[in-house]
Amino acid sequence: MANKIEFENVTVKFNKRWLALDNVSFTVQKGDFVFLVGPTGAGKTTVLRLIYGDIMPDQGEVRIDGFPLKKISKARLLELRTKMGIVFQDLMLLDDRSVFENLAFPVRLKGDEDLMRRVVSTLKDVGLTHKSNELVKSLSRGEQQRLALARAMINEPEILLADEPFSNLHKTDIDWLIEKMNNYNELGLTVVLSTHNFEVIPRVPRARVLSIEEGRITLEH
Amino acid sequence: MGFILKKSWSDFIFLAVIYFLSLVIFSSVIQSYSYFSKLLDENFKVSYMKVFLNDDVERNEILILRKYAENNPVVSKVELISKERAKEEFAVRFPKYAGLLELFPGSPFPQNLEIKFNENVLGLEVIDDFVEFYSHFPSVTNVQHNYASALQIYKLKKSIFSFGTILFLAFLILYIPLNLSFVKGIFERESKLFFLVEVFGKSNFKLKVTFVATVAIPLIVVSIINLFVFKSLAGALNIPLYPVVYLMLFFLLLQILFSVDVLER
């Protein structure tokens, strides 16, 4: 169960020089909805990458359910990732494959035999059933973002990490997306979301906000 | 595998063309070298000098001529061929003309000393010394040998080896970065897939193996064609095929190393 995320005095330097995170500490409990806000380059993406173990801290500890990511094996890290759904800033969709294939991909990897039912119900959930056979590159940005969310959610993760999911979206798409994430969170999903769009924050009244600037947490409420 | 092939089809075609040209050129060089080596071996098995003698040559003089050859380390065998034996040998070698011999009362062929050399003679001036030595004897009418042709083949073989080595080194200098750049290009088109597999909690080891195997497909296909062509050639020239097989295995090893290198970066 990947429920609790702990950052303890985490420092990350890129190329051993550029300080991306400076002595950051916070805890995310199961069922939390956390907004990471701050300007571009503040360190929001670095926090998300640390959570799914794409990078490791130079100093301090990142713990998932008490396990320090630095010390766990690759196999255990991969196992932890199966509990996470990730929406990347650049979406990372397979552009030359259909919507259906993009959704089926993580289900196949998981080895779920009920692939068809799962994909169909997820497509319905995000309103993309009619686009099932279309290639990703033919979708609008809003539809691609829905697909990215659907792909992150299809294996029923316990934590959703979303990196700037509202970038370049119309207001209607943003409304739909934040509503959807709010609904998932109400059902018990932990959400950690980075954004520089402050307008969405009031849409989730119970959400916690971590403000990051130049690699430091400057405000938490 | 099919997906990777389809997505980078033009790169795979280009790789296949490079492999084909490379394999054909280097297989040709290797097989030429094998052919001349074989020719040289065969030539030297019968590499000889014939010292033709007057009919009235004295026995002592024959002994001197013979001793000179026998004392030389590059000589493997010395034999006096009598007029009668020369006639018999002619009849065996040229049976079609054996009837002509009946026109002569005795043997029309002169007696001679047949000197066979071992392979150490190659590249030495010893043959010229032999010719010069024997030509001083009035009883020696003529000296013949096949050393010149053997030396030509030997020089040709050495040239092919030098040319092949230089060509191969020059080729590698161009081939390594070119191949790496193509493999990198193919990988970059799939890098998202590699990343996502691990994001979804699976090891991408199988994907890596598939990638390495897929990138090797053009080489394998071209190698089979090349092998087929050079097998026929090797059969016709009666030369071994294994150097070509080793060459292809070397290319395959290089390809695997390049793929692994790109993956590990």
Side-chain angles (χ1 to χ4, degrees):
Chain A
M1 294 283 280
N3 294 329
K4 193 175 173 186
I5 303 163
E6 294 168 278
F7 275 54
E8 188 183 316
N9 306 118
V10 172
T11 297
V12 175
K13 286 177 190 171
F14 289 126
N15 298 325
K16 294 182 178 175
R17 283 191 311 153
W18 185 57
L19 198 61
L21 284 183
D22 186 9
N23 203 28
V24 168
S25 299
F26 66 87
T27 302
V28 178
Q29 300 290 349
K30 177 180 166 58
D32 278 358
F33 195 119
V34 178
F35 282 109
L36 298 170
V37 295
T40 305
K44 306 186 295 292
T45 302
T46 306
V47 169
L48 297 177
R49 288 178 70 193
L50 283 163
I51 295 173
Y52 68 87
D54 189 35
I55 54 173
M56 293 292 158
D58 292 299
Q59 288 168 34
E61 291 276 14
V62 176
R63 288 188 288 268
I64 307 287
D65 281 345
F67 292 106
L69 290 188
K70 261 183 181 175
K71 291 176 185 167
I72 64 172
S73 64
K74 180 81 184 275
R76 176 82 180 116
L77 176 65
L78 293 176
E79 193 188 323
L80 272 177
R81 282 183 185 166
T82 62
K83 310 289 182 192
M84 300 178 191
I86 305 166
V87 178
F88 297 95
Q89 189 170 4
D90 56 358
L91 304 185
M92 296 291 280
L93 295 168
L94 302 170
D95 300 332
D96 47 4
R97 297 199 193 186
S98 70
V99 170
F100 185 93
E101 285 168 329
N102 267 271
L103 282 182
F105 180 59
V107 185
R108 279 202 188 98
L109 284 176
K110 194 184 175 188
D112 193 332
E113 289 177 2
D114 203 8
L115 183 144
M116 188 58 85
R117 186 199 59 78
R118 194 173 279 272
V119 174
V120 169
S121 75
T122 308
L123 279 171
K124 195 177 167 188
D125 186 40
V126 296
L128 286 176
T129 307
H130 62 297
K131 301 274 184 177
S132 173
N133 293 322
E134 288 192 22
L135 291 180
V136 167
K137 54 190 171 192
S138 70
L139 300 181
S140 70
R141 173 73 190 185
E143 288 167 335
Q144 288 183 356
Q145 193 62 266
R146 286 183 189 209
L147 178 60
L149 178 65
R151 190 184 64 184
M153 293 301 298
I154 197 163
N155 282 337
E156 296 172 350
E158 292 166 17
I159 298 172
L160 175 66
L161 306 173
D163 193 5
E164 297 284 1
F166 310 118
S167 298
N168 305 317
L169 290 187
H170 294 299
K171 189 175 179 307
T172 48
D173 291 321
I174 294 173
D175 289 345
W176 182 92
L177 209 58
I178 193 68
E179 186 62 33
K180 205 74 196 167
M181 289 181 180
N182 194 11
N183 291 343
Y184 289 141
N185 179 245
E186 281 173 352
L187 294 171
L189 180 79
T190 305
V191 179
V192 182
L193 185 158
S194 81
T195 184
H196 56 260
N197 184 339
F198 290 85
E199 290 173 16
V200 296
I201 296 173
R203 301 285 303 273
V204 189
R206 65 186 172 287
R208 289 170 54 206
V209 180
L210 296 179
S211 178
I212 305 178
E213 277 179 56
E214 293 180 348
R216 287 169 176 261
I217 292 182
T218 52
L219 183 71
E220 182 171 358
H221 68 272
Chain B
M1 196 179 263
F3 197 78
I4 298 173
L5 274 172
K6 190 179 154 192
K7 220 163 147 188
S8 302
W9 186 244
S10 58
D11 284 344
F12 282 109
I13 294 292
F14 195 86
L15 275 178
V17 170
I18 290 176
Y19 290 140
F20 184 73
L21 291 176
S22 313
L23 283 176
V24 166
I25 290 169
F26 290 112
S27 298
S28 302
V29 170
I30 285 177
Q31 291 302 75
S32 305
Y33 183 80
S34 298
Y35 176 68
F36 285 115
S37 295
K38 181 204 141 206
L39 214 57
L40 201 57
D41 287 346
E42 284 180 358
N43 229 310
F44 258 79
K45 276 177 195 159
V46 291
S47 176
Y48 65 90
M49 176 177 276
K50 278 188 177 285
V51 182
F52 293 98
L53 305 169
N54 280 330
D55 291 349
D56 55 356
V57 61
E58 287 182 12
R59 190 174 170 79
N60 279 347
E61 201 173 330
I62 292 176
L63 276 175
I64 294 167
L65 295 173
R66 188 168 184 150
K67 216 62 180 164
Y68 178 77
E70 281 174 346
N71 288 341
N72 200 306
V74 297
V75 173
S76 62
K77 192 178 174 187
V78 183
E79 199 174 359
L80 179 67
I81 308 293
S82 64
K83 287 172 68 72
E84 286 66 34
R85 185 152 159 222
K87 185 181 174 183
E88 285 164 20
E89 281 181 1
F90 180 87
V92 171
R93 287 181 69 188
F94 307 102
K96 271 170 77 176
Y97 305 106
L100 288 173
L101 296 173
E102 289 167 13
L103 298 172
F104 299 93
S107 167
F109 301 102
Q111 59 181 329
N112 63 80
L113 267 182
E114 190 175 272
I115 305 166
K116 289 190 177 173
F117 298 98
N118 59 40
E119 61 183 18
N120 297 330
V121 75
L122 269 181
L124 301 177
E125 289 172 353
V126 70
I127 297 291
D128 290 337
D129 294 344
F130 270 85
V131 174
E132 198 190 339
F133 175 79
Y134 288 128
S135 58
H136 287 125
F137 288 83
S139 53
V140 173
T141 56
N142 193 11
V143 181
Q144 288 182 358
H145 58 80
N146 67 347
Y147 178 73
S149 59
L151 186 63
Q152 258 185 341
I153 295 168
Y154 175 71
K155 283 180 178 171
L156 202 56
K157 185 184 142 181
K158 275 181 78 175
S159 302
I160 289 171
F161 182 79
S162 307
F163 169 75
T165 306
I166 292 166
L167 190 70
F168 192 65
L169 293 175
F171 164 80
L172 283 181
I173 291 168
L174 288 173
Y175 177 77
I176 291 172
L178 187 72
N179 191 301
L180 271 173
S181 124
F182 272 91
V183 175
K184 206 174 163 191
I186 295 167
F187 172 73
E188 274 168 5
R189 273 179 220 115
E190 308 302 333
S191 59
K192 205 185 270 183
L193 207 60
F194 280 82
F195 177 71
L196 285 175
V197 168
E198 290 211 327
V199 161
F200 292 127
K202 288 284 168 189
S203 163
N204 58 21
F205 180 74
K206 280 184 187 169
L207 191 59
K208 284 178 177 173
V209 172
T210 307
F211 177 79
V212 172
T214 310
V215 174
I217 284 178
L219 177 59
I220 292 168
V221 171
V222 167
S223 293
I224 291 168
I225 297 168
N226 189 67
L227 198 64
F228 181 75
V229 171
F230 279 90
K231 193 182 174 203
S232 311
L233 192 70
L237 297 176
N238 196 24
I239 50 177
L241 186 64
Y242 69 85
V244 176
V245 176
Y246 287 161
L247 178 77
M248 290 188 303
L249 290 176
F250 174 73
F251 270 82
L252 192 61
L253 178 70
L254 272 188
Q255 190 56 67
I256 290 170
L257 288 177
F258 292 161
S259 304
V260 171
D261 181 60
V262 167
L263 284 174
E264 290 307 310
R265 283 184 199 194

